[in-house]
Amino acid sequence: MAARIIGTGSYVPDRIITNDDLAEMVETSDAWIVERTGIHSRRITETGTTDMAVRAARNAMENAGLPPEELELIIVGTSTGDCLFPNTACEVQAALGAEKAVCFDLSAACSGFLFSLNTAKVYLESGAYRTALVVGADTLSKTVDWSDRSTCILFGDGAGAAVLESSAAEQSLWNRGVGDFIMGSDGSRGECLACRSTELCSPFLGEKKTSGFMTMNGQEVFRFAVKTVPRSIEEVLKKAGVTPDEIKYFILHQANERIIASVAKRMKQDSAKFPMNLAQYGNTSGASIPVLLDEINRKGLLKQGDKLIISGFGAGLTWGATLVVW
Ligand code: ACO
């Protein structure tokens, strides 16, 4: 059995916040933000994670040509759902009318879509389910302290989605589908990027002092990313017996232009093979990879048999890389 991506979709909110807008709120400048990150603007939601996830999901289902009643599994990679329960995937199910689907969320911050994609792949390949919708959706705008210039300049909101179908024939004939992957986690370094906004609350406890906003050691996260991302890509390529030159696009988590440039350099690959959209959207966490994948797909840049690497990293710490044969 192979798990093949048969459709993609995405949604970003209409409201654009530019670097100049932020410079009116905190002591920063367009020049500083562009030089250090490559980000020019970001989108901010007024409706929340579920609404964005549903819009991206509808887009992907339409692109795949799959009726909602044929969906058997929905996984939403998010760490910023609108509520603790029900999960976002159940809300997407209700909005789509995908009554047969089993639904759950997966929390792995910016690695959320990648971890969800690999999870769906394993379910489909096992034969447990035949079709799956995988969504990456996040509202980082509600986790950042908008008076903290070291974090508020980085993030934006959005959602992206992919529809997968299992197929025995595709695997044997073309070797197409979501292929080898590697994933990793290091909870001992969780404090360098954290958001402790779900506080304990009961009559049995004293007053709580948790900040609620995201805290980040930017330099530590940067060092982690430039080391771990290329290493995980090299590992998955080795596992699959594929060379970097055979890869058409490296679809990396959109956190910082300098991180992506450093990975391209280390892998001795042309930077044109590393598409980016962070200039317009900033870091949209779990949405960044599927939004970029959808843009490339809709531009008609993907042909049958093209090899892609999808690679993400984020809070946890978490990271991973997956080979996809289109
Ligand atoms: N505008 C102007 N000056 C600023 C700003 C700002 N927005 N932010 C920080 N500065 C100042 C600092 O105060 C510091 O001043 P000082 O030298 O007087 O102390 C100076 O700029 C340099 O600060 P650094 O933190 O050293 O800047 P750096 O070059 O490391 O860039 C950045 C910071 C962009 C955050 C970088 O470290 C980075 O991109 N790290 C990775 C972050 C990331 O990817 N996070 C998301 C992970 S994915 C997830 O799961 C959410």
mmCIF file of all heavy atoms in Angstrom, residues 13-19 21 40-44 46 280-281:
data_model
loop_
_atom_site.group_PDB
_atom_site.id
_atom_site.type_symbol
_atom_site.label_atom_id
_atom_site.label_comp_id
_atom_site.label_asym_id
_atom_site.label_seq_id
_atom_site.Cartn_x
_atom_site.Cartn_y
_atom_site.Cartn_z
ATOM 1 N N PRO A 13 -5.731 34.500 6.140
ATOM 2 C CA PRO A 13 -6.685 35.596 6.364
ATOM 3 C C PRO A 13 -6.369 36.807 5.481
ATOM 4 O O PRO A 13 -5.235 36.988 5.041
ATOM 5 C CB PRO A 13 -6.473 35.951 7.840
ATOM 6 C CG PRO A 13 -5.689 34.839 8.437
ATOM 7 C CD PRO A 13 -4.938 34.181 7.340
ATOM 8 N N ASP A 14 -7.399 37.633 5.265
ATOM 9 C CA ASP A 14 -7.231 38.821 4.404
ATOM 10 C C ASP A 14 -6.409 39.916 5.079
ATOM 11 O O ASP A 14 -5.735 40.691 4.406
ATOM 12 C CB ASP A 14 -8.605 39.425 4.067
ATOM 13 C CG ASP A 14 -9.414 38.492 3.184
ATOM 14 O OD1 ASP A 14 -8.790 37.669 2.479
ATOM 15 O OD2 ASP A 14 -10.665 38.567 3.220
ATOM 16 N N ARG A 15 -6.482 39.985 6.405
ATOM 17 C CA ARG A 15 -5.886 41.146 7.091
ATOM 18 C C ARG A 15 -4.349 41.083 7.088
ATOM 19 O O ARG A 15 -3.738 40.175 7.656
ATOM 20 C CB ARG A 15 -6.396 41.211 8.531
ATOM 21 C CG ARG A 15 -5.829 42.356 9.277
ATOM 22 C CD ARG A 15 -6.790 42.956 10.239
ATOM 23 N NE ARG A 15 -6.247 44.204 10.725
ATOM 24 C CZ ARG A 15 -6.576 44.742 11.868
ATOM 25 N NH1 ARG A 15 -7.474 44.166 12.625
ATOM 26 N NH2 ARG A 15 -6.038 45.877 12.249
ATOM 27 N N ILE A 16 -3.738 42.087 6.454
ATOM 28 C CA ILE A 16 -2.279 42.123 6.317
ATOM 29 C C ILE A 16 -1.696 43.090 7.349
ATOM 30 O O ILE A 16 -2.145 44.237 7.454
ATOM 31 C CB ILE A 16 -1.888 42.592 4.894
ATOM 32 C CG1 ILE A 16 -2.448 41.622 3.840
ATOM 33 C CG2 ILE A 16 -0.368 42.717 4.756
ATOM 34 C CD1 ILE A 16 -2.310 42.116 2.403
ATOM 35 N N ILE A 17 -0.690 42.616 8.086
ATOM 36 C CA ILE A 17 0.026 43.490 9.019
ATOM 37 C C ILE A 17 1.458 43.598 8.505
ATOM 38 O O ILE A 17 2.178 42.592 8.411
ATOM 39 C CB ILE A 17 0.020 42.915 10.459
ATOM 40 C CG1 ILE A 17 -1.421 42.664 10.953
ATOM 41 C CG2 ILE A 17 0.778 43.835 11.416
ATOM 42 C CD1 ILE A 17 -2.282 43.900 11.114
ATOM 43 N N THR A 18 1.874 44.811 8.155
ATOM 44 C CA THR A 18 3.215 44.999 7.591
ATOM 45 C C THR A 18 4.227 45.256 8.710
ATOM 46 O O THR A 18 3.863 45.519 9.858
ATOM 47 C CB THR A 18 3.245 46.211 6.635
ATOM 48 O OG1 THR A 18 2.975 47.387 7.434
ATOM 49 C CG2 THR A 18 2.204 46.092 5.538
ATOM 50 N N ASN A 19 5.511 45.204 8.317
ATOM 51 C CA ASN A 19 6.558 45.533 9.289
ATOM 52 C C ASN A 19 6.402 46.970 9.783
ATOM 53 O O ASN A 19 6.661 47.264 10.953
ATOM 54 C CB ASN A 19 7.934 45.348 8.657
ATOM 55 C CG ASN A 19 8.231 43.881 8.367
ATOM 56 O OD1 ASN A 19 7.552 43.005 8.895
ATOM 57 N ND2 ASN A 19 9.232 43.619 7.542
ATOM 58 N N ASP A 21 3.620 48.546 10.159
ATOM 59 C CA ASP A 21 2.545 48.539 11.175
ATOM 60 C C ASP A 21 3.125 48.165 12.538
ATOM 61 O O ASP A 21 2.782 48.759 13.564
ATOM 62 C CB ASP A 21 1.451 47.518 10.821
ATOM 63 C CG ASP A 21 0.674 47.905 9.566
ATOM 64 O OD1 ASP A 21 0.575 49.107 9.291
ATOM 65 O OD2 ASP A 21 0.171 47.001 8.875
ATOM 66 N N HIS A 40 8.279 40.350 5.394
ATOM 67 C CA HIS A 40 7.813 41.708 5.091
ATOM 68 C C HIS A 40 6.437 41.983 5.706
ATOM 69 O O HIS A 40 6.115 43.107 6.034
ATOM 70 C CB HIS A 40 7.715 41.914 3.578
ATOM 71 C CG HIS A 40 9.057 41.935 2.896
ATOM 72 N ND1 HIS A 40 9.623 43.081 2.408
ATOM 73 C CD2 HIS A 40 9.951 40.956 2.657
ATOM 74 C CE1 HIS A 40 10.809 42.807 1.877
ATOM 75 N NE2 HIS A 40 11.025 41.513 2.015
ATOM 76 N N SER A 41 5.602 40.933 5.759
ATOM 77 C CA SER A 41 4.250 41.108 6.304
ATOM 78 C C SER A 41 3.744 39.761 6.793
ATOM 79 O O SER A 41 4.377 38.726 6.560
ATOM 80 C CB SER A 41 3.307 41.675 5.239
ATOM 81 O OG SER A 41 3.216 40.765 4.159
ATOM 82 N N ARG A 42 2.622 39.785 7.493
ATOM 83 C CA ARG A 42 1.994 38.554 7.960
ATOM 84 C C ARG A 42 0.491 38.771 7.942
ATOM 85 O O ARG A 42 0.023 39.910 7.884
ATOM 86 C CB ARG A 42 2.476 38.133 9.369
ATOM 87 C CG ARG A 42 2.124 38.999 10.522
ATOM 88 C CD ARG A 42 2.884 40.316 10.599
ATOM 89 N NE ARG A 42 4.329 40.153 10.816
ATOM 90 C CZ ARG A 42 5.251 40.924 10.281
ATOM 91 N NH1 ARG A 42 4.897 41.961 9.483
ATOM 92 N NH2 ARG A 42 6.521 40.750 10.498
ATOM 93 N N ARG A 43 -0.285 37.650 7.972
ATOM 94 C CA ARG A 43 -1.747 37.728 7.983
ATOM 95 C C ARG A 43 -2.236 37.403 9.391
ATOM 96 O O ARG A 43 -1.709 36.497 10.031
ATOM 97 C CB ARG A 43 -2.347 36.724 6.993
ATOM 98 C CG ARG A 43 -1.835 36.874 5.563
ATOM 99 C CD ARG A 43 -2.232 38.208 4.966
ATOM 100 N NE ARG A 43 -1.770 38.337 3.590
ATOM 101 C CZ ARG A 43 -2.531 38.072 2.525
ATOM 102 N NH1 ARG A 43 -3.783 37.660 2.675
ATOM 103 N NH2 ARG A 43 -2.056 38.211 1.307
ATOM 104 N N ILE A 44 -3.266 38.117 9.830
ATOM 105 C CA ILE A 44 -3.798 37.912 11.177
ATOM 106 C C ILE A 44 -5.287 37.562 11.082
ATOM 107 O O ILE A 44 -6.059 38.277 10.429
ATOM 108 C CB ILE A 44 -3.596 39.188 12.041
ATOM 109 C CG1 ILE A 44 -2.103 39.553 12.129
ATOM 110 C CG2 ILE A 44 -4.199 39.006 13.438
ATOM 111 C CD1 ILE A 44 -1.205 38.541 12.805
ATOM 112 N N GLU A 46 -9.212 36.965 12.159
ATOM 113 C CA GLU A 46 -10.245 37.527 13.035
ATOM 114 C C GLU A 46 -11.283 36.452 13.339
ATOM 115 O O GLU A 46 -12.288 36.728 13.991
ATOM 116 C CB GLU A 46 -10.880 38.753 12.367
ATOM 117 C CG GLU A 46 -9.884 39.893 12.277
ATOM 118 C CD GLU A 46 -10.383 41.082 11.463
ATOM 119 O OE1 GLU A 46 -11.578 41.145 11.156
ATOM 120 O OE2 GLU A 46 -9.544 41.943 11.141
ATOM 121 N N GLN A 280 5.640 37.071 2.687
ATOM 122 C CA GLN A 280 4.252 37.561 2.786
ATOM 123 C C GLN A 280 3.535 37.094 4.048
ATOM 124 O O GLN A 280 2.654 37.781 4.538
ATOM 125 C CB GLN A 280 3.379 37.085 1.612
ATOM 126 C CG GLN A 280 3.878 37.327 0.230
ATOM 127 C CD GLN A 280 4.531 36.077 -0.325
ATOM 128 O OE1 GLN A 280 5.645 35.732 0.050
ATOM 129 N NE2 GLN A 280 3.847 35.379 -1.204
ATOM 130 N N TYR A 281 3.862 35.875 4.527
ATOM 131 C CA TYR A 281 3.040 35.275 5.592
ATOM 132 C C TYR A 281 3.735 35.146 6.938
ATOM 133 O O TYR A 281 3.089 34.785 7.927
ATOM 134 C CB TYR A 281 2.559 33.881 5.158
ATOM 135 C CG TYR A 281 1.806 33.862 3.851
ATOM 136 C CD1 TYR A 281 1.983 32.843 2.939
ATOM 137 C CD2 TYR A 281 0.911 34.882 3.535
ATOM 138 C CE1 TYR A 281 1.292 32.816 1.735
ATOM 139 C CE2 TYR A 281 0.216 34.871 2.332
ATOM 140 C CZ TYR A 281 0.419 33.839 1.434
ATOM 141 O OH TYR A 281 -0.275 33.830 0.255
#
